[in-house]
Amino acid sequence: MPTRNAFYAQSGGVTAVINASACGVIETARRHADRIGTVFAGRNGIIGALTEDLIDTSQESTEAIAGLRTTPSGAFGSCRFKLKSLDANRREYERLIDVFKAHDIAWFFYNGGGDSADTCFKVSQLSAAMGYPLQAIHVPKTVDNDLPITDCCPGFGSVAKYVAVSALEASFDVRSMARTSTKVFVLEVMGRHAGWIAAAGGLVEDHGIPVVILFPEIEFDQAKFIARVDALVRAHGYCTVVVSEGCHHPDGTFLAEQGTRDAFGHAQLGGAAPVVANMVKEALGYKFHWAVADYLQRAARHIASKTDVQQAYELGQKAVELALEGQNAVMPTVERISDAPYAYRIGTAALADVANVEKFMPRDFITEDGFGITERCKRYLKPLIQGEDHPTYVDGLPVYVSLRNAAVAKKLGPFELK
Amino acid sequence: MPTRNAFYAQSGGVTAVINASACGVIETARRHADRIGTVFAGRNGIIGALTEDLIDTSQESTEAIAGLRTTPSGAFGSCRFKLKSLDANRREYERLIDVFKAHDIAWFFYNGGGDSADTCFKVSQLSAAMGYPLQAIHVPKTVDNDLPITDCCPGFGSVAKYVAVSALEASFDVRSMARTSTKVFVLEVMGRHAGWIAAAGGLVEDHGIPVVILFPEIEFDQAKFIARVDALVRAHGYCTVVVSEGCHHPDGTFLAEQGTRDAFGHAQLGGAAPVVANMVKEALGYKFHWAVADYLQRAARHIASKTDVQQAYELGQKAVELALEGQNAVMPTVERISDAPYAYRIGTAALADVANVEKFMPRDFITEDGFGITERCKRYLKPLIQGEDHPTYVDGLPVYVSLRNAAVAKKLGPFELK
C-alpha cells in the first residue's frame, strides 16, 4: 500500500499539554511509516492549511518530537480563526480540500475545542461531497473542559491542578497574615461559560481552607455572596474566593468585561477579581488581595497533572489509530471506568454528537447555596489532578523545546484570508 | 549551665521559604538542648510577644518541624505591625522585655525584612538599658531582596524562579497565538521600591523571548515604552512585559494604586498590569492579555528554588549558632564567593548596618534603555533560581504541614495593642 500524508493542526487557546497530543500523533504516525508518509503541520493552525503554509514535521528529530510531551503552548502555532458556515464561505472549505489534495493528505487531525470539532466535522462532510474523501479526526483539547461525551478534556486536569495548588498556597499565606492584614484573597480563573476550572479551587476545602467559588453557571447574588464571605471570615479569620471570568449578574452582564471580542466573537474577559475584591472591601471593610492568573494557568506545564499529560498523549495516539482503522468524523474520548482507584479507557465519539455542544457543571456538582462543590464533584475532579510530570530543568528553568518548523514548498497559488 | 528559652517570630509578608528558616532555628535549637530549653514562637509574629500569646514549639513532632522546610506561609502566623520609635511608644518595648523575662527568654530570633531588623536592633538596645540583656538575632527574609549587606534574601530566589518560569511559559503561549490573537502579554509582579523580582523576568531573554521590564528604579516613560513594545512586536510577532507593582511616573505616582495603605504605612498596590496593557492597546491596537500574580508568586512553594530553600534553612541554623556564641544585634548573611560555579558562605552583619537600609538594583544591572537586565544582572540572578525542591504530593496536591500551635500558659496581665 503506498503511503499517504497526514495533516495536523492546533486550534484555539493553547494549553500545557496540547503538544503532548501532537507528540502522540506524530510518534504514532512515525511508527506506521508503512502507511503514513509525512505528517504536515499547519503553521498557526488552520490558517496554515488555508495559506498552504505547511510545516514538515519529518525534519524534526526524534528528541525534539519527544520533547513536545513536556513543552507547553502550541509548537506549530495555533490560531483563533473560525471557518464560517459552508453557505457563508464555501470558498474556504474548498481551498482546504485543494491544499490537502495538492499534498496528498488523506488524514486530517484537528486538535481543538468545540468550534474546531465543528470545523473538523464540516471538512469531513464537504470532502466527501467534493469527491476527495478525507478522514477527519478531532483530537479534543480545552482547558474549559466543556466538550461533551468525553469524561474530561486534555488541558483541563493541568489547569485544575494549577488552580488547586495556587489556591492552597495563597490560602496558607493569607491564613498566616489574617490577624493584622489580608483577610480575603480573590483568585480569578478562566472559564467563560463552564465553571470546571473554578470548581478545582474547591478542592482546597479538604485541606481546611474556607473557600467561596463563583461559577458562571450560578447567577451572581451580591448580598448572598457578601454574607457568605463574612460568615467565613468570622469563623476562620480569613477566606479565599475563586471567581470564574464568566461569572455574571442575573441580567447576563459579566462582573468584568474589557469590552473587546476575540475572532470567534466571544467577549474577552478579565478583571472580575478586582471587582469582587472591592465589593468585599466596601461591604465589610476587610483588607483584600487579588490575583488574575490568566495565561499563567493554562501554560503552567511545570505543575501539569501526570494524568492529563498521559491522556493528552493517548488521545493523539488513538486519533492516528482510528484513522488507520478507516474511521472518519470521530473524536477519541476519555471514558471513566471508576473514580477511586481511578481507571479509564480511550473510547470514540461521533463528531456529529460533539460539534457545538457545551458541557456545563451539573447542578449536583455545585452545593445548594451555589458557592461550593459537592462530594460528587470532588470525586470527579480528584483523579484528574493526580500525579506530577516534572519537566527537566537546566539552570533553574524548565527545558521546553522550540521546533525548527521548516516550511514545505508551496504547490498552489496564494489564498487571501477574509 | 542551666537551659534558658528562646523566642522566634515571623514578621511581615510571608514567603515560600520563611518556614524553612523556622525549621533551621528549631531543629538547631533542639540539637542544643543542653543550653536551649524551649523555643517559644509568637502567634502572629511580634503581636504574640506583646500579648503574651506564645506557642510552645516543643509540642510539635520532629516530623512536623521537618515538614516546615517544604511548607510555604508563616506556620505560627505573621503580622504587619511596626513597633513605633522608642520615644513614641517605650511601653511596647518594655512589655516585650517583661514577657521575655517572665518566660526566661534569653534569645530573640526575629525573621523578617528591613522594618523587623530595625525592631530587632531596638529590642537589643533597650533590653541592655533595662538590665535584662537579651541576645537579639535577625533572620533575613524578604521576597523584595532589598536588605543590605547580604548577597540575597531568603524568599527572593523562589519568587524569582516563579516569575522566570511563569514568564517563560506564558511567552511560549503568546508566541503560539500571536498570528491572530494576543500579541502583548503583561505580567505584574511584586516589588514596591526595588525591581529585583521584575528583573527575574529578564532571564527568559536567553530563551529567545522578547521581553520588556518596567522597574521601580526607572521612571516610567510612556512614549519610549510604547516604541519599545512596538519594535519587539514588529520583530518577533509578540512580546512579554513584566511590570513591577512599584513602577511609577516621573512625578512619583504609581501606575496603579488602590488607594489603601498597610499597617507600615506603605501604599497597597495592584493593578499596574491592566493599566500598562490598555496603554499598549490604545497606542498600538495590539490584542493583549494580562496577569497579576500577587500572593501566588510569594507562596509558590511548589516551584521553590532549591538554593533559596537551603539558604533559608542555613540562615535559621546560623542564627542559633550565633546566639550560642554570644553574639547580639547581628544578622546572618549570604556571602557570595563565585557566580559560576555558584559558591557562597554564611557570614554575619551588624544590625546597626542593616536596619532601615534598602538595597535597590544597581544601575549597571539594568540596560541603558531601562527596559532590560544586563549580563552582570543575569550572572547575579542565575544561581539564585537553581535547583528544584519539589514537595511531596498526595492526591495531586502538595503536602503542607499545619502545626498544632499549642498556647503557653500566660504569666502576666493583659496588654492592649494601640
Side-chain angles (χ1 to χ4, degrees):
Chain A
M1 202 185 290
T3 63
R4 298 193 64 201
N5 300 319
F7 175 79
Y8 167 82
Q10 301 178 319
S11 177
V14 295
T15 77
V17 304
I18 185 173
N19 284 333
S21 290
C23 180
V25 166
I26 296 169
E27 288 189 345
T28 308
R30 287 183 177 189
R31 279 198 298 276
H32 293 278
D34 55 323
R35 303 217 19 222
I36 303 175
T38 301
V39 177
F40 297 120
R43 194 185 307 275
N44 302 313
I46 201 70
I47 286 180
L50 290 168
T51 59
E52 205 194 354
D53 193 354
L54 307 184
I55 290 165
D56 182 356
T57 70
S58 70
Q59 298 201 27
E60 308 293 343
S61 69
T62 307
E63 294 69 32
I65 295 301
L68 290 179
R69 191 173 170 129
T70 48
T71 299
S73 82
F76 308 107
S78 181
C79 67
R80 295 202 179 274
F81 183 88
K82 186 174 181 171
L83 271 73
K84 297 186 184 67
S85 71
L86 273 175
D87 294 339
N89 199 345
R90 193 178 174 90
R91 174 180 160 272
E92 282 175 352
Y93 293 89
E94 289 176 353
R95 167 70 175 188
L96 280 183
I97 306 300
D98 286 346
V99 171
F100 292 158
K101 208 184 280 186
H103 294 273
D104 194 29
I105 288 162
W107 300 287
F108 172 43
F109 299 106
Y110 204 27
N111 202 169
D115 288 326
S116 313
D118 178 53
T119 300
C120 194
F121 185 46
K122 282 183 185 142
V123 167
S124 152
Q125 290 176 300
L126 189 71
S127 65
M130 285 175 64
Y132 184 77
L134 190 76
Q135 286 169 249
I137 317 280
H138 190 250
V139 187
K141 169 244 59 167
T142 167
V143 293
D144 290 337
N145 203 37
D146 59 357
L147 288 173
I149 305 176
T150 186
D151 181 67
C152 59
C153 301
F156 170 65
S158 294
V159 174
K161 190 179 183 91
Y162 173 94
V163 168
V165 170
S166 298
L168 180 66
E169 291 177 332
S171 299
F172 263 60
D173 187 309
V174 174
R175 185 177 67 181
S176 38
M177 304 292 297
R179 172 69 176 77
T180 58
S181 182
T182 301
K183 288 185 174 51
V184 178
F185 175 71
V186 183
L187 171 61
E188 176 174 338
V189 300
M190 288 179 159
R192 286 167 202 275
H193 305 122
W196 296 104
I197 296 176
L203 289 172
V204 302
E205 221 178 39
D206 291 358
H207 292 246
I209 310 295
V211 63
V212 179
I213 316 280
L214 297 175
F215 299 97
E217 286 91 345
I218 304 287
E219 285 178 1
F220 183 66
D221 180 332
Q222 185 165 343
K224 220 171 121 193
F225 166 69
I226 292 295
R228 179 79 184 128
V229 167
D230 199 25
L232 288 176
V233 173
R234 284 171 193 276
H236 300 267
Y238 74 103
C239 88
T240 293
V241 178
V242 179
V243 56
S244 165
E245 63 178 343
C247 182
H248 55 80
H249 296 286
D251 70 358
T253 59
F254 290 109
L255 262 61
E257 191 169 335
Q258 291 179 346
T260 52
R261 291 185 179 271
D262 71 13
F264 291 135
H266 305 140
Q268 191 185 350
L269 307 177
V275 171
V276 167
N278 277 293
M279 255 178 215
V280 169
K281 173 79 179 176
E282 277 175 30
L284 304 171
Y286 294 140
K287 192 182 166 209
F288 61 86
H289 259 253
W290 55 267
V292 176
D294 194 63
Y295 285 171
L296 305 190
Q297 69 200 287
R298 76 180 194 193
R301 181 61 184 79
H302 75 274
I303 186 74
S305 149
K306 188 173 188 173
T307 304
D308 190 32
V309 173
Q310 187 176 317
Q311 292 179 344
Y313 184 90
E314 289 174 353
L315 290 164
Q317 176 181 337
K318 181 71 171 184
V320 175
E321 291 166 356
L322 290 171
L324 293 177
E325 286 169 15
Q327 300 240 34
N328 186 15
V330 293
M331 175 182 93
T333 59
V334 175
E335 287 179 5
R336 185 179 298 220
I337 297 165
S338 70
D339 294 332
Y342 180 53
Y344 69 91
R345 65 179 156 245
I346 304 296
T348 313
L351 283 185
D353 301 330
V354 173
N356 296 313
V357 180
E358 269 182 292
K359 183 173 73 180
F360 302 106
M361 291 267 292
R363 188 59 184 87
D364 67 355
F365 272 34
I366 301 173
T367 51
E368 207 174 317
D369 68 4
F371 294 128
I373 59 173
T374 59
E375 285 306 313
R376 203 170 154 224
C377 182
K378 289 177 189 171
R379 281 200 302 278
Y380 169 76
L381 290 174
K382 279 181 181 175
L384 306 183
I385 67 166
Q386 296 239 342
E388 293 68 54
D389 191 43
H390 303 300
T392 305
Y393 287 76
V394 169
D395 282 344
L397 288 177
V399 179
Y400 294 145
V401 300
S402 292
L403 300 180
R404 299 176 54 195
N405 285 347
V408 175
K410 296 193 182 197
K411 300 183 176 185
L412 304 174
F415 179 82
E416 200 191 337
L417 293 175
K418 281 181 185 169
Chain B
M1 200 184 291
T3 63
R4 296 194 63 201
N5 301 320
F7 175 79
Y8 168 82
Q10 303 177 319
S11 176
V14 294
T15 77
V17 304
I18 185 172
N19 285 333
S21 289
C23 179
V25 166
I26 297 169
E27 288 188 346
T28 309
R30 286 183 178 189
R31 278 198 300 275
H32 293 278
D34 56 322
R35 298 202 39 208
I36 303 176
T38 301
V39 177
F40 297 119
R43 192 185 308 276
N44 302 313
I46 202 70
I47 286 180
L50 290 168
T51 58
E52 206 194 354
D53 192 354
L54 307 183
I55 290 166
D56 181 356
T57 71
S58 71
Q59 298 201 27
E60 308 292 343
S61 69
T62 308
E63 295 69 32
I65 295 301
L68 290 179
R69 190 173 170 130
T70 48
T71 299
S73 84
F76 308 106
S78 182
C79 68
R80 294 202 179 276
F81 183 88
K82 186 174 181 170
L83 270 74
K84 295 186 186 68
S85 72
L86 274 174
D87 294 340
N89 199 345
R90 193 177 174 90
R91 174 181 159 270
E92 282 176 352
Y93 293 89
E94 289 176 352
R95 168 69 175 188
L96 280 183
I97 307 299
D98 286 346
V99 171
F100 292 158
K101 207 183 284 186
H103 294 274
D104 194 29
I105 288 163
W107 300 286
F108 172 44
F109 299 105
Y110 204 27
N111 203 169
D115 288 325
S116 313
D118 179 53
T119 300
C120 193
F121 186 47
K122 283 183 184 141
V123 168
S124 152
Q125 291 177 300
L126 190 70
S127 64
M130 286 176 63
Y132 185 77
L134 191 75
Q135 286 168 249
I137 318 279
H138 190 249
V139 186
K141 169 245 58 166
T142 167
V143 294
D144 290 338
N145 201 39
D146 59 357
L147 288 174
I149 306 177
T150 186
D151 180 67
C152 59
C153 301
F156 170 66
S158 295
V159 174
K161 190 178 183 92
Y162 174 94
V163 168
V165 170
S166 297
L168 181 66
E169 292 177 331
S171 299
F172 263 60
D173 187 308
V174 174
R175 184 176 68 180
S176 38
M177 303 293 296
R179 172 70 176 77
T180 57
S181 182
T182 300
K183 288 186 175 49
V184 178
F185 176 71
V186 183
L187 172 60
E188 176 173 338
V189 301
M190 288 177 159
R192 283 166 205 274
H193 305 122
W196 297 103
I197 295 177
L203 290 173
V204 303
E205 223 178 38
D206 291 358
H207 292 246
I209 308 296
V211 63
V212 179
I213 316 280
L214 297 175
F215 299 97
E217 286 91 346
I218 305 287
E219 285 179 1
F220 183 66
D221 179 332
Q222 185 165 345
K224 219 171 121 194
F225 166 68
I226 292 294
R228 180 77 184 129
V229 167
D230 199 25
L232 287 176
V233 173
R234 284 172 194 274
H236 299 267
Y238 73 103
C239 89
T240 294
V241 178
V242 179
V243 56
S244 165
E245 63 178 343
C247 182
H248 55 80
H249 297 285
D251 69 359
T253 59
F254 291 110
L255 263 61
E257 192 169 333
Q258 290 179 348
T260 51
R261 291 184 179 270
D262 71 14
F264 289 136
H266 306 139
Q268 191 185 354
L269 306 177
V275 170
V276 167
N278 277 291
M279 255 178 216
V280 169
K281 173 79 177 177
E282 277 176 29
L284 304 170
Y286 294 141
K287 192 182 168 209
F288 62 86
H289 260 253
W290 55 266
V292 176
D294 195 63
Y295 285 171
L296 305 191
Q297 70 200 288
R298 75 180 195 194
R301 181 61 184 81
H302 75 274
I303 186 76
S305 149
K306 187 174 187 171
T307 305
D308 189 33
V309 174
Q310 188 177 317
Q311 292 179 345
Y313 184 91
E314 288 173 354
L315 290 163
Q317 176 182 337
K318 181 72 172 182
V320 175
E321 291 166 358
L322 289 171
L324 293 178
E325 286 169 16
Q327 301 240 34
N328 186 13
V330 293
M331 174 182 93
T333 59
V334 176
E335 287 179 6
R336 185 180 298 220
I337 298 165
S338 70
D339 294 330
Y342 180 53
Y344 69 90
R345 65 179 154 245
I346 303 297
T348 312
L351 283 185
D353 301 330
V354 173
N356 296 315
V357 180
E358 268 181 292
K359 183 173 71 179
F360 301 105
M361 291 267 291
R363 188 59 185 85
D364 67 355
F365 272 33
I366 300 175
T367 52
E368 207 174 315
D369 69 3
F371 294 129
I373 58 172
T374 59
E375 285 307 313
R376 200 168 157 226
C377 181
K378 288 177 189 172
R379 280 200 303 278
Y380 170 75
L381 290 174
K382 279 181 181 176
L384 307 183
I385 67 165
Q386 296 238 343
E388 294 68 54
D389 192 43
H390 303 300
T392 305
Y393 287 76
V394 169
D395 283 344
L397 288 177
V399 179
Y400 294 144
V401 299
S402 292
L403 300 181
R404 301 175 54 195
N405 285 347
V408 176
K410 297 193 182 198
K411 300 184 175 184
L412 303 174
F415 180 82
E416 199 189 339
L417 294 175
K418 281 183 184 167

